């Protein structure tokens, strides 16, 4: 089988790097349309968009401006023909009956090309501002909540009806018709034991954040094997198959040295105010300001960051796919439009896992 590849769409300001030394990446319709169509023309398999209701401020106004994931997908559906489109839903922001109808509507526009990313919710302030935060006990119960949520989605998509009765939701002869004409696969992002259990029970794919060092590929392969192994063990007990999507920021250049120069230039422009808002004061080094390790990890939103020549990046991705039991890779870039062109012309032809 061939490794699938996807793009993490830049629907929020700043993309996925909290730095003053990257292009502003305003989340416009034009940018996301161009990125999606460009990726489709290069043979990318899917485009996934996150959902975000509150940013982190700072000099860069990081994520303060954002598009809506569902309506963006609805706009992309009729102008694309082959790429799969995967919006995200935060369970606290939309009732599952509403989500099921919205999803069924978009699926009718692009049958067989629509999936849904389930987000259990991690940023309290995002929901507090709208009066939707149910209390801090939600941190412990969020996967139970998500399980009920997805159960209702699947019932409505399968039969158009639900009478689900649970701790969090009560459906009384609920009807959502028409039902989708094709199956809507679910993507999740669980790495904790509870998150992996949820994904094994409910999802078709799980995107994970691990590895990301081209100089330490052996340990990266080990990390991915551990996560995918735990997931596949849980899924096999249920008679299910669930794939793993590896997520990376890509810094590629003609040489390893030039890629690292670009990376360090972007690190030097870290927006420490926005990073502080992201990680919270409790995690900061009070005596010397922000620690270098915390800054570097947080400014890339925790995304593993591959830095190297075109050949180095291609070799890493091939080995991760061949040896770490993943099914797909999803990419973000410092400069989406230009870096995707370079990735398409310089990295993709070198990927044996795509041939």
């Amino acid at each position: 089988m061939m490794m699938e590849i996807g793009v993490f769409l830049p629907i929020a300001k700043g993309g996925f790097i909290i730095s003053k030394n990257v292009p502003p990446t305003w989340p416009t319709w034009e940018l996301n349309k161009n990125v999606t169509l460009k990726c489709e023309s290069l043979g990318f398999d899917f485009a996934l968009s996150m959902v975000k209701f509150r940013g982190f401020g700072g000099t860069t106004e990081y994520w303060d401006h954002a598009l809506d994931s569902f309506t963006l997908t609805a706009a992309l559906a009729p102008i694309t023909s082959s790429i799969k489109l995967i919006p995200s839903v935060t369970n606290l922001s939309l009732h599952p009956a509403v989500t099921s109808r919205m999803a069924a509507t978009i699926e009718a526009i692009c049958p067989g090309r629509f999936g849904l990313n389930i987000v259990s919710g991690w940023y309290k302030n995002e929901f507090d501002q709208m009066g939707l935060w149910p209390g801090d006990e939600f941190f412990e119960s969020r996967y139970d909540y998500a399980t009920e949520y997805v159960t209702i989605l699947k019932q409505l998509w399968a039969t158009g009806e639900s009478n689900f009765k649970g701790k969090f939701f009560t459906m009384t002869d609920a009807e959502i018709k028409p039902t989708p004409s094709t199956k809507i696969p679910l993507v999740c992002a669980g790495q904790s034991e509870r998150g992996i259990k949820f994904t094994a029970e409910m999802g078709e794919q799980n995107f994970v954040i691990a590895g990301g060092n081209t100089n330490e590929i052996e340990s990266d392969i080990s990390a991915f094997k551990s996560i995918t192994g735990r997931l596949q063990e849980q899924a096999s007990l249920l008679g299910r198959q669930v794939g793993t999507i590896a997520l990376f920021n890509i810094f590629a250049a003609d040489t390893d040295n030039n890629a690292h120069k670009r990376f360090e230039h972007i690190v030097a422009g870290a927006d420490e105010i926005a990073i502080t808002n992201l990680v919270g004061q409790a995690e900061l080094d009070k005596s010397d300001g922000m620690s270098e390790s915390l800054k570097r990890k947080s400014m890339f939103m925790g995304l593993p960051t591959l830095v190297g020549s075109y050949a180095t990046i291609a070799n890493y991705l091939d080995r991760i796919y061949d040896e770490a039991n993943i099914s797909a890779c999803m990419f973000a870039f410092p400069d989406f439009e230009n870096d995707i062109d370079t990735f398409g012309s310089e990295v993709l032809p070198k990927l044996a896992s795509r041939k």
Side-chain angles (χ1 to χ4, degrees), residues 21-247:
N21 290 347
V22 293
T25 316
W26 284 94
T28 63
W29 156 245
E30 287 297 323
L31 172 63
N32 283 272
K33 178 185 70 173
N34 292 344
V35 166
T36 303
L37 292 175
K38 187 173 293 187
C39 286
E40 182 174 62
S41 70
L42 290 171
F44 276 55
D45 300 286
F46 63 94
L48 187 148
S49 56
M50 67 174 183
V51 57
K52 189 52 53 185
F53 295 109
R54 188 180 184 91
F56 299 100
T59 305
T60 59
E61 297 182 297
Y62 189 72
W63 284 5
D64 288 355
H65 304 255
L67 301 181
D68 172 69
S69 185
F70 258 98
T71 49
L72 173 66
T73 302
L76 291 171
I79 65 170
T80 53
S81 59
S82 60
I83 196 167
K84 299 171 188 174
L85 303 172
I86 308 172
S88 300
V89 61
T90 52
N91 299 343
L92 290 176
S93 64
L94 284 176
H95 189 280
V98 177
T99 299
S100 68
R101 190 182 294 278
M102 292 169 65
T105 300
I106 301 176
E107 186 276 340
I109 303 170
C110 56
R113 295 193 294 117
F114 181 82
L116 184 61
N117 179 38
I118 303 295
V119 181
S120 59
W122 61 274
Y123 184 25
K124 175 181 176 180
N125 290 351
E126 194 168 25
F127 304 102
D128 239 357
Q129 68 177 354
M130 300 182 285
L132 294 176
W133 185 249
D136 287 356
E137 64 275 7
F138 185 70
F139 287 121
E140 298 297 324
S141 64
R142 62 193 181 117
Y143 283 113
D144 296 331
Y145 187 96
T147 297
E148 291 193 9
Y149 192 100
V150 172
T151 298
I152 294 169
L153 287 181
K154 291 189 173 186
Q155 287 179 351
L156 291 171
W157 289 337
T159 68
E161 301 174 352
S162 176
N163 279 288
F164 180 86
K165 303 291 188 296
K167 178 180 178 181
F168 305 102
F169 295 99
T170 299
M171 307 293 284
T172 305
D173 195 25
E175 291 189 346
I176 299 297
K177 298 175 181 178
T179 58
S181 63
T182 60
K183 181 179 179 179
I184 296 177
L186 299 180
V187 178
C188 311
Q191 291 191 206
S192 67
E193 288 305 317
R194 183 64 183 92
I196 286 176
K197 183 176 183 292
F198 168 74
T199 305
E201 293 173 344
M202 296 293 183
E204 275 68 51
Q205 289 183 302
N206 186 44
F207 75 80
V208 300
I209 297 174
N213 191 326
T214 53
N215 297 319
E216 298 179 6
I217 190 168
E218 303 301 334
S219 61
D220 286 359
I221 289 171
S222 178
F224 277 113
K225 279 185 174 180
S226 174
I227 295 171
T228 57
R230 286 152 52 205
L231 174 63
Q232 290 170 5
E233 181 180 2
Q234 290 278 345
S236 65
L237 292 174
L238 301 168
R240 306 188 72 241
Q241 291 185 331
V242 181
T244 296
I245 304 172
L247 174 58

Side-chain angles (χ1 to χ4, degrees), residues 241-262:
Q241 291 185 331
V242 181
T244 296
I245 304 172
L247 174 58
F248 299 108
N249 255 314
I250 301 292
F251 284 76
D254 55 341
T255 67
D256 288 341
N257 186 52
N258 285 339
H260 281 280
K261 283 182 179 179
R262 184 186 186 196

